[in-house]
């Protein structure tokens, strides 16, 4: 090529490149795309996200669904909104793009936690219910689990109004006589409680209820698993969210007690019936309702701040929380402070690392008041004199019952309880060979609690005087000041290592396989001590509330204990789907616990689940109205090691009587219990059958479940015959059978009115199949009020059945009675027809565990307004009014005693007012039906229009008012109808239950 040709070629090449660059620039220049985003019913979707693919640039649709975004003409837009299938559209130079997003079949595309991983809801073969964080945010609670009441079938929750208290949870009944609490899994770490979590920091809660879903947790998941996922920063978004509520707590119903006139009438009648001299009420002119004196309207405040930032290479979220709850019982308070930092760094498309660290601090100020004292105290006594001195109780109850208001004031702010908790995790994840993911996570959880308390000197009180006795003041010289201290430490270290394989073959076969290894080590130490002064009183000064302020020569008590244990496991899971029609999920785990003897440490557990998506079959596609139909069945086997002390199989010793030989004293020890060398974990097996239906354009949803779960080898302790020593062994079998129904309807009327209705119902039958081969073996609870034996539910109520009241001596001659029975006493059923009432006439009187539970949820949204109504209840259980059985002194009376028997025919229910031992026997007289229904939450919200907020740089602002527990329908006479479930073998007793108050609150949720 000559020079001329070279020059021409060079110029032509440069011109060509320039043309190509200009052409590319023309194609790549930005265009403004506008449009509207609608759902499959042609209604606009506000706040849907429109993002430019491959960038972090995004906008949200307005309240009418419209959007506008500047995008490269050759770019791609991604349209997404929660609850709908995302959609990608190439711009290709277009300036108007309207999109219709399809519903994801009521959450079937939603990802739920299944244990060391996640799975789409449509692929599940077990019973898992997911609750979103925004549902929890609607209630003013300090513990997020309290917000789940009535939302999940098969879940029973018993709340307490005590500030900072954790609710008691039962999933599908009681499967163990020791520990029936579920396992909590928070972002992978195994926990026994979640007190440290900020309710506003939760993304989702997944409840794994059946044995097949929890089998992968081996020895820890027998009572169900509650998996909690906390919020993370979204990729490509920067946001600041603040939520706050402030509310007033109010006790809606007091226990109905007599006033002063009623007390005088009843106490005088009691004295007269025993021939005692009348009491002189001359100086007792009070009419005090002691409950009103100790209760108050109390403040509750919850706050949560989340700051998140997501870039191409990293995401960061900072969360802060502050909760402050006063008790409705005066002077009680609980404060909770939380902080969390979550960070994820994407080193490459295949490698990422990250971690979480969270801190929790609480401050608790309890109150020393007894709720029962406020019921027992005589109303004839005023609270205090004009000079401020408190009145003492009358002579007939002074030694046993005090002025409850003076008790509160005397112990006000005399305890310092502090707790600190730090937990964190670090993970690394590598994707390789396209389909494999290796992930390793290290966790730690450290807790430190300490408390100091002070018992002040006795107050000077006023003795009103009886008859002609003058009013006097008295200070008890025997009451001394004392100081107590305690400290506890808790440590947990966990590691999880998993390898995951995820593959789609020929668009027909989806395979997900997982193998993993995990270990958990836990230890705890507790020290307590107290000292009482003998001469010098300790001042009311928190800086002096340490044991050393009182000399060691004074009365001193101390104690301490600790424990440690470890668990290790290897596990695997495979999930397979063929053409999205035929589903298989199978798990296996080899798990070990140090709690048991070496030969019994390890067990092998597993599960298998099958699913058939019938709606994917050809014959179903022709059927109109059915959008999704799945039949599923699953079986699982796992173990339970909860509820027993570490190393229980080993001998435990304590100090025994010393031996003396001459002048020498030799200390001695003795075994406190006899260990079973064959002690092993409980074995839990369960079968589930379920049906999932979505119909009528996904507006109707239905879920049915049937389950049968059995626990074998129950961990039980009892006293050996002719011995005082305890024996701990595996004894017996428990079965829980039940059904669960969830039904929902979502629809729209026009383009601006949406509504949803959902309800759930569950039934559980609990029965003890056997207690080993021991004949007539029984486990007693609460002094024999509760009984556990073959053929009945765990811890059922066992006693006499009231048939009426003996009206006369003639009744005593013709009706079976006790030898001490008199007219006016309770008559009991003679079950064995031997003509007398003995302990052999006791029988099954009911269960403390509600077999029926249900919830109802209603939602309505019109334009910017929304209304939510939530109700829940339970039925079929009994509540034992144990507070009514106290007889340690002449006590005040509940109003039912105004109908006490006086003469023949006066009543056939209430016994004579005088306290007689056979009327205090446990019987149906002391049982109440525990059925109740409660309006759990009523909330009205308003979301400000986006065009109003845009000027202030606010993305979303919602204001709302709500009322919780505002109305309860129940025949229970106590403060709360919720079943008392804390002690498995002795549940159901109301012996001073703390009220669950109504809460009236105002809140806001704002996002910048």
């Amino acid at each position: 090529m000559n020079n001329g040709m070279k020059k021409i070629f060079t110029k032509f090449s440069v011109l060509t490149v320039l043309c190509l660059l200009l052409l590319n620039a023309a194609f790549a220049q930005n265009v403004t795309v506008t449009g509207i985003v609608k759902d499959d019913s042609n209604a606009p979707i506000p706040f849907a996200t429109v993002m430019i693919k491959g960038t972090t640039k995004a906008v949200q649709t307005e309240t009418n669904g419209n959007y506008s975004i500047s995008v490269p003409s050759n770019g791609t837009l991604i349209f997404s909104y929660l609850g709908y299938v995302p959609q990608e559209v190439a711009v290709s130079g277009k300036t108007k793009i309207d999109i219709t997003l399809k519903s994801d079949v009521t959450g079937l595309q939603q990802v739920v936690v299944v244990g060391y991983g996640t799975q789409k809801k449509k692929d599940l073969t077990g019973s898992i219910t997911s609750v979103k964080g925004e549902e929890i945010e609607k209630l003013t609670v300090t513990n997020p689990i309290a917000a789940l009441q009535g939302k999940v079938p098969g879940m029973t929750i018993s709340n307490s109004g005590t500030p900072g208290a954790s609710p008691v949870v039962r999933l599908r009944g009681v499967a163990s006589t020791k520990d029936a609490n579920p396992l909590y899994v928070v972002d992978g770490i195994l926990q026994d409680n979640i007190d440290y979590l900020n309710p506003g920091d939760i993304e989702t809660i997944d409840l794994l209820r059946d044995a097949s879903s929890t089998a992968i947790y081996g020895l820890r998941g027998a009572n169900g698993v509650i998996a909690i996922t906390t919020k993370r920063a979204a990729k490509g978004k920067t946001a600041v969210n603040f939520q706050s509520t402030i509310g007033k707590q109010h006790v809606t119903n007091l226990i109905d007690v007599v006033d002063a006139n009623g007390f005088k009438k009843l106490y005088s009648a009691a004295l007269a019936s025993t021939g005692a001299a009348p009491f002189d009420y001359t100086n007792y002119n009070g009419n005090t309702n002691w409950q009103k004196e100790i209760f108050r309207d109390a403040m509750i405040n919850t706050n949560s701040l989340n700051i998140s930032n997501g870039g191409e290479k990293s995401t960061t979220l900072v969360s802060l929380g502050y909760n402050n709850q006063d008790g409705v019982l005066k002077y009680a308070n609980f404060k909770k402070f939380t902080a969390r930092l979550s960070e994820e760094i994407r080193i490459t498309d295949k490698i990422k690392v990250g971690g979480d660290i969270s801190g929790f601090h609480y401050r608790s100020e309890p109150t020393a008041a007894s709720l029962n004292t406020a019921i027992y105290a005589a109303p004839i006594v005023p609270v205090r004199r004009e000079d401020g001195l408190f009145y003492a109780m009358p002579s007939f109850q002074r030694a046993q019952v005090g002025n409850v208001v003076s008790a509160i004031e005397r112990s006000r702010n005399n305890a310092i309880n502090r707790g600190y908790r730090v937990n964190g995790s670090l993970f690394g994840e590598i994707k390789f060979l396209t389909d494999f993911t290796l992930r390793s996570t290290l966790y730690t959880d450290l807790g430190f609690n300490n408390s100091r308390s002070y018992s002040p000197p006795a107050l000077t009180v006023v003795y009103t005087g009886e008859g002609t006795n003058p009013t006097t003041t008295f200070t008890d010289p025997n009451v001394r000041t004392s100081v107590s201290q305690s400290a506890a430490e808790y440590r947990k270290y966990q590691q999880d290592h998993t390898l995951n394989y995820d593959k789609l073959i020929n668009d027909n076969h989806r395979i997900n396989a997982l193998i993993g290894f995990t270990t958990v080590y836990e230890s705890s130490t507790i020290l307590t001590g107290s000292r009482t002064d003998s001469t010098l009183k300790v001042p009311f000064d928190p800086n002096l509330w340490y044991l050393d302020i009182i000399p060691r020569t004074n009365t001193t008590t101390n104690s301490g204990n600790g424990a440690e244990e470890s668990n290790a496991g290897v596990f695997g899971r495979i999930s397979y789907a063929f053409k999205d029609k035929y589903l298989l999920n199978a798990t296996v785990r080899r798990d070990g616990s140090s709690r048991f003897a070496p030969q019994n440490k390890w067990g092998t557990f597993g599960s298998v689940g099958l699913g058939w998506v019938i709606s994917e079959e050809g014959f179903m596609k022709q059927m109109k109205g059915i959008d999704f139909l799945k039949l599923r069945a699953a079986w699982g086997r796992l173990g339970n090691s909860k509820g027993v002390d570490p190393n229980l199989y080993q001998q435990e010793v304590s100090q025994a009587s010393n031996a003396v030989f001459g002048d020498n004293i030799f200390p001695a020890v003795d075994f406190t219990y006899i260990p079973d060398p064959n002690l092993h974990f409980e074995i839990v097996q369960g079968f589930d059958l379920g049906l999932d239906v979505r119909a009528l354009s996904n507006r109707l949803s239905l879920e049915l479940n049937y389950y049968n779960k059995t626990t074998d080898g129950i961990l039980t302790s009892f006293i050996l015959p002719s011995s005082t020593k305890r024996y701990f062994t595996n004894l017996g079998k428990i079965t829980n059978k039940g059904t669960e129904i969830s039904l929902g309807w979502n629809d729209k009327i026009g383009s601006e009115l949406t509504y949803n209705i959902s309800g759930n119902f569950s039934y559980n039958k609990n029965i003890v199949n056997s207690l080993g081969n021991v004949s007539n073996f029984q486990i007693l609870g609460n002094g024999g009020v509760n009984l556990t034996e073959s053929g009945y539910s765990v811890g059922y109520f066992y006693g006499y059945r009231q048939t009426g009241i003996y009206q006369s001596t003639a009744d005593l001659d013709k009706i079976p009675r006790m030898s001490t029975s008199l007219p006016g006493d309770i008559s009991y059923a003679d079950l064995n027809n031997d003509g007398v009432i003995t302990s052999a006439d006791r029988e099954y009187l009911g269960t403390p565990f509600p077999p029926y539970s249900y919830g109802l949820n209603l939602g309505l949204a019109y334009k910017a307004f929304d209304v939510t109504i939530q109700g829940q209840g339970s039925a079929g259980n009994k509540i034992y009014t144990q507070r009514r059985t106290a007889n340690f002194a002449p006590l005040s009376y509940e109003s039912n005693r105004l109908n006490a028997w006086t003469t023949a025919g006066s009543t056939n229910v209430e016994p004579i007012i005088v306290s007689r031992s056979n009327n205090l026997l446990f019987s149906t007289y002391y049982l109440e039906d525990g059925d109740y229904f409660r309006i759990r939450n009523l909330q009205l919200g308003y979301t400000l229009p986006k065009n109003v907020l845009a000027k202030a740089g606010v993305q979303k602002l919602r204001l709302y008012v709500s009322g919780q527990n505002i109305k309860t329908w129940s025949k229970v006479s106590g403060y709360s109808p919720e079943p008392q479930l804390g002690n498995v073998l002795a549940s159901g007793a109301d012996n001073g239950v703390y009220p669950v108050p109504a809460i009236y609150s105002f809140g806001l949720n704002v996002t910048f």
Side-chain angles (χ1 to χ4, degrees), residues 477-489:
N478 298 316
V479 176
R480 311 301 306 178
T481 58
S482 64
V483 174
S484 299
Q485 277 187 261
S486 67
E489 295 183 5

Side-chain angles (χ1 to χ4, degrees), residues 149 628 752 881 1008:
Q149 197 173 39
F628 181 83
E752 296 183 313
T881 56
F1008 299 93

Side-chain angles (χ1 to χ4, degrees), residues 775-999:
S775 177
N776 297 322
F777 179 70
Q778 300 172 330
I779 305 174
L780 304 181
N782 198 6
V785 168
N786 300 88
L787 189 64
T788 300
E789 64 176 341
S790 299
Y792 300 92
S793 65
V794 172
Y796 73 87
F797 289 121
Y798 179 67
Y800 300 92
R801 188 172 298 278
Q802 180 185 13
T803 59
I805 300 292
Y806 296 111
Q807 301 293 332
S808 63
T809 54
D811 279 355
L812 297 175
D813 293 334
K814 64 183 180 181
I815 301 175
R817 63 183 178 89
M818 297 178 178
S819 61
T820 56
S821 296
L822 295 171
D825 287 350
I826 298 174
S827 63
Y828 302 112
D830 179 20
L831 297 183
N832 58 5
N833 296 315
D834 62 357
V836 294
I837 303 300
T838 66
S839 60
D841 293 308
R842 291 176 294 174
E843 64 172 325
Y844 172 91
L845 299 180
T847 175
F849 306 105
Y852 305 99
S853 61
Y854 52 92
L856 178 65
N857 302 280
L858 308 175
L860 179 70
Y862 178 70
K863 294 185 177 180
F865 291 92
D866 62 90
V867 177
T868 301
I869 303 175
Q870 299 174 3
Q872 62 86 210
S874 62
N877 64 301
K878 299 290 185 179
I879 291 181
Y880 170 34
T881 56
Q882 190 169 5
R883 66 180 189 278
R884 292 179 171 177
T885 64
N887 66 337
F888 51 83
L891 306 174
S892 188
Y893 309 93
E894 295 187 29
S895 294
N896 64 297
R897 299 299 282 141
L898 289 170
N899 299 317
W901 183 91
T902 54
T903 58
S906 58
T907 179
N908 204 36
V909 176
E910 291 290 336
I912 191 170
I913 198 64
V914 67
S915 178
R916 294 174 183 165
S917 59
N918 53 321
N919 291 330
L920 294 173
L921 296 173
F922 177 64
S923 70
T924 52
Y925 173 73
Y926 293 105
L927 288 178
E928 297 178 332
D929 290 335
D931 306 357
Y932 78 95
F933 177 74
R934 169 179 288 162
I935 301 298
R936 186 74 173 100
N937 188 37
L938 172 60
Q939 186 174 113
L940 172 64
Y942 176 73
T943 302
L944 273 69
K946 190 174 181 181
N947 55 0
V948 175
L949 300 173
K951 298 178 181 179
V954 178
Q955 294 184 30
K956 183 179 180 181
L957 173 59
R958 180 175 180 267
L959 306 174
Y960 59 90
V961 292
S962 69
Q964 293 174 216
N965 310 319
I966 55 178
K967 178 62 178 178
T968 302
W969 289 267
S970 172
K971 295 182 179 180
V972 174
S973 61
Y975 293 120
S976 174
E978 298 194 16
Q980 302 306 300
L981 307 176
N983 187 329
V984 174
L985 296 175
S987 293
D990 179 351
N991 198 20
V993 174
Y994 200 100
V996 176
I999 303 176

Side-chain angles (χ1 to χ4, degrees), residues 116-396:
Y116 303 98
T118 59
Q119 193 174 28
K120 288 185 178 180
K121 189 173 182 179
K122 67 185 183 68
D123 294 333
L124 295 177
T125 55
S127 299
I128 301 178
T129 298
S130 184
V131 179
K132 297 185 182 299
E134 51 259 37
E135 292 298 311
I136 298 168
E137 295 168 1
K138 290 182 179 179
L139 279 86
T140 305
V141 294
T142 58
N143 188 299
I145 297 301
L148 299 180
Q149 197 173 39
K151 291 184 175 297
V152 180
M155 184 180 196
T156 302
I157 297 178
S158 179
N159 284 310
S160 170
T162 305
S166 300
V168 178
V169 179
R170 299 288 179 260
L171 289 174
R172 290 187 169 180
V174 175
S176 174
T177 59
K178 283 297 178 183
D179 188 338
N181 296 319
L183 170 69
Y184 296 93
V185 182
V186 183
D187 293 329
I189 187 170
L190 309 186
Q191 302 284 21
D192 291 324
N193 67 74
I194 57 169
D195 297 342
Y196 66 95
L197 277 182
N198 175 15
D201 204 26
I202 292 177
E203 184 69 29
T204 59
I205 298 182
D206 296 294
L207 297 106
L208 289 66
R209 305 193 302 278
D210 67 302
S212 71
S213 299
T214 61
I216 198 166
Y217 289 102
L219 290 169
R220 301 291 292 272
N223 297 320
V225 175
I226 300 178
I228 298 171
T229 303
T230 58
K231 292 179 179 178
R232 294 290 186 271
K235 184 179 178 181
K237 288 186 179 181
T238 299
V240 177
N241 177 259
F242 176 69
Q243 304 171 43
S244 180
T245 63
I246 185 167
K248 180 184 75 171
Q249 304 169 95
H250 175 71
V251 179
T252 55
N253 62 298
L254 301 179
I255 293 176
D256 192 6
V257 295
V258 297
D259 60 9
N261 289 332
F263 177 82
K264 292 175 182 179
K265 173 186 174 181
L266 294 178
Y267 185 51
S268 297
L271 292 174
S273 66
T274 59
F279 184 79
D280 189 342
Y281 298 102
T282 302
N283 297 327
Y284 290 94
N285 53 12
N287 187 15
T288 304
N289 187 318
W290 294 100
Q291 296 175 86
K292 292 182 179 179
E293 296 295 331
I294 64 173
F295 285 128
R296 64 177 176 179
D297 287 344
M299 184 271 295
I300 183 171
N301 176 224
T302 65
N303 303 273
S304 179
L305 175 66
N306 285 280
I307 305 172
S308 61
N309 179 55
E312 285 297 312
K313 290 295 184 180
S314 66
T315 57
T316 304
L317 183 140
V318 177
S319 170
L320 301 174
Y322 169 68
N323 298 327
N324 184 9
Q325 182 181 10
D326 289 330
V328 291
L329 196 56
K330 283 183 177 179
Y331 308 135
N333 176 264
F334 180 82
K335 292 182 176 67
K336 174 178 176 179
F337 307 83
T338 62
R340 186 171 73 94
L341 171 64
S342 174
E343 181 77 21
E344 181 179 297
I345 302 173
R346 291 175 288 277
I347 299 174
T348 69
D349 292 341
K350 304 295 184 182
I351 302 174
K352 63 180 179 180
V353 297
D356 277 18
I357 183 168
S358 64
F360 163 65
H361 169 54
Y362 77 82
R363 299 178 184 178
S364 174
E365 295 181 12
T367 183
S370 166
L371 291 175
N372 281 348
T373 301
I375 301 169
Y376 298 155
I380 59 177
V381 180
V383 177
R384 69 181 82 201
R385 205 165 61 179
E386 290 182 358
D387 60 2
L389 294 182
F390 291 99
Y391 284 102
M393 293 296 106
S395 58
F396 57 78

Side-chain angles (χ1 to χ4, degrees), residues 457-711:
L459 297 177
T460 299
V461 296
V462 179
Y463 283 180
T464 301
E466 295 159 12
T468 58
N469 293 332
T471 298
T472 60
T473 58
F474 173 76
T475 305
D476 191 344
N478 298 316
V479 176
R480 311 301 306 178
T481 58
S482 64
V483 174
S484 299
Q485 277 187 261
S486 67
E489 295 183 5
Y490 169 83
R491 295 178 174 84
K492 176 187 289 183
Y493 305 100
Q494 178 182 330
Q495 59 174 330
D496 294 342
H497 308 283
T498 60
L499 176 63
N500 189 76
Y501 172 76
D502 197 358
K503 183 71 172 179
L504 175 63
I505 303 174
N506 297 330
D507 294 329
N508 289 326
H509 308 273
R510 284 189 291 111
I511 302 174
N512 181 277
L514 174 79
I515 58 173
F517 168 72
T518 181
T519 66
V520 180
Y521 170 81
E522 300 177 75
S523 67
S524 61
T525 302
I526 302 174
L527 292 173
T528 64
S530 66
R531 288 184 187 173
T532 303
D533 79 85
S534 58
T535 55
L536 179 66
K537 287 182 170 58
V538 178
F540 190 91
D541 184 352
N543 294 321
L544 302 177
W545 297 348
Y546 296 95
L547 296 185
D548 281 350
I549 196 68
I550 300 176
R552 299 180 183 180
T553 54
N554 290 21
T555 303
T556 302
T557 61
N558 56 71
S559 66
N561 60 66
E564 60 179 320
E565 64 173 293
S566 57
N567 294 267
V570 292
F571 53 87
R573 176 177 59 227
I574 185 167
S575 300
Y576 171 73
F578 175 66
K579 291 186 175 181
D580 289 329
K581 288 192 294 187
Y582 310 113
L583 311 174
L584 167 68
N585 289 286
T587 65
V588 64
R589 175 156 179 158
R590 179 74 173 166
D591 213 14
S593 170
S594 65
R595 293 190 177 195
F596 304 100
Q599 68 272 21
N600 294 325
K601 288 181 183 294
W602 292 89
T604 302
F605 313 102
S607 69
V608 60
L610 299 173
W612 178 25
V613 184
I614 306 174
S615 54
E616 289 295 319
E617 298 289 356
F619 65 88
M620 284 295 297
K621 291 185 178 297
Q622 306 302 319
M623 186 176 298
K624 295 182 179 180
I626 301 297
D627 303 296
F628 181 83
L629 177 63
K630 179 173 67 175
L631 180 66
R632 48 186 169 78
W635 171 90
R637 172 188 170 95
L638 62 163
N640 184 30
S641 63
K642 301 179 69 176
V644 299
D645 298 331
N647 301 318
L648 191 62
Y649 66 91
Q650 296 178 342
Q651 291 280 12
E652 182 180 275
V653 296
S654 63
Q655 185 174 351
S657 300
N658 295 333
V660 179
F661 295 94
D663 295 331
N664 298 317
I665 300 177
F666 296 90
V669 296
D670 190 15
F671 298 119
T672 57
Y673 74 90
I674 299 175
D676 181 357
N678 297 315
L679 190 72
H680 60 82
F681 40 79
E682 299 172 345
I683 299 295
V684 179
Q685 294 188 117
F687 171 77
D688 263 55
L689 184 65
L691 181 70
D692 299 329
V693 182
R694 303 292 184 271
L696 303 178
S697 298
N698 301 316
R699 292 175 294 175
L700 177 67
S701 61
L702 173 67
E703 182 177 327
L704 301 175
N705 289 297
Y706 167 79
Y707 61 88
N708 187 331
K709 182 174 67 173
T710 299
T711 304

